[in-house]
């Protein structure tokens, strides 16, 4: 069990950072979709991309405490994982909202929960290798 403690701490920190990203994501999505009347997928994508950038900065500094000088490679890896996560996010929203007729924001919360696990483990093993 002690071997899993460091990864558990990182997962908790990743979740806290993710909550700050969720505020960015939901705020931008809501502003673009509800106030600017943009397409829901464009709004969702913009919110997700800005949240991913926020999350990269905080995860680099706090969660994984990266000292790598290869910031461009690291950000590129983080962003690629986030883009794949964005695809998963939009697919889950499409299924839950458009097919099952769930509320858009409830669908978005479900998508975020699934994509969070994808993002954490891919970044743990690839972006911020220990």
């Amino acid at each position: 069990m002690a071997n899993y403690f460091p990864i558990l701490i990182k997962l908790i920190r990743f979740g806290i950072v993710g909550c700050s990203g969720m505020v960015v994501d939901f705020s931008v999505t809501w502003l673009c979709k509800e106030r600017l009347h943009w397409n829901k997928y464009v709004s969702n994508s913009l919110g997700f991309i800005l949240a991913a950038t926020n999350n990269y900065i905080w995860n680099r500094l706090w969660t994984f405490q990266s000292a790598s000088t290869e910031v461009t490679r690291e950000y590129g890896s983080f962003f690629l994982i986030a883009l794949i996560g964005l695809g998963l996010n939009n697919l889950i929203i499409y299924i839950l909202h458009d097919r099952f007729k769930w509320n858009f924001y409830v669908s978005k919360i479900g998508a975020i929960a699934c994509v969070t696990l994808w993002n954490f483990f891919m970044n743990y093993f690839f972006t911020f290798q220990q």
Side-chain angles (χ1 to χ4, degrees):
M1 182 69 178
N3 292 343
Y4 295 109
F5 188 70
I7 195 170
L8 181 61
I9 294 300
K10 285 182 182 359
L11 181 59
I12 291 168
R13 286 182 175 188
F14 193 85
I16 291 168
V17 169
C19 287
S20 76
M22 196 165 91
V23 170
V24 171
D25 187 352
F26 270 73
S27 297
V28 171
T29 300
W30 180 84
L31 176 69
C32 293
K33 181 181 177 290
E34 305 300 337
R35 293 292 181 210
L36 300 177
H37 306 290
W38 290 3
N39 176 279
K40 63 187 168 193
Y41 295 107
V42 171
S43 300
N44 182 60
S45 297
L46 182 60
F48 193 89
I49 289 167
L50 292 176
T53 301
N54 169 77
N55 290 358
Y56 166 73
I57 293 166
W58 287 110
N59 280 311
R60 175 180 165 77
L61 296 173
W62 186 52
T63 304
F64 297 103
Q65 300 169 348
S66 175
S68 173
T69 58
E70 296 183 38
V71 175
T72 303
R73 183 212 53 84
E74 200 176 68
Y75 180 73
S77 175
F78 190 91
F79 199 78
L80 179 61
I81 290 166
L83 283 177
I84 294 168
L86 173 61
L88 294 170
N89 185 285
N90 280 328
L91 176 63
I92 293 166
I93 289 172
Y94 171 76
I95 291 167
L96 296 178
H97 178 64
D98 291 359
R99 292 292 185 197
F100 292 119
K101 305 301 182 199
W102 288 17
N103 174 278
F104 177 78
Y105 293 102
V106 171
S107 300
K108 187 167 176 63
I109 289 170
I112 287 169
C114 293
V115 173
T116 294
L117 292 175
W118 156 265
N119 285 341
F120 175 76
F121 286 108
M122 295 305 289
N123 282 300
Y124 181 83
F125 289 114
F126 296 106
T127 304
F128 303 106
Q129 304 132 3
Q130 302 301 310

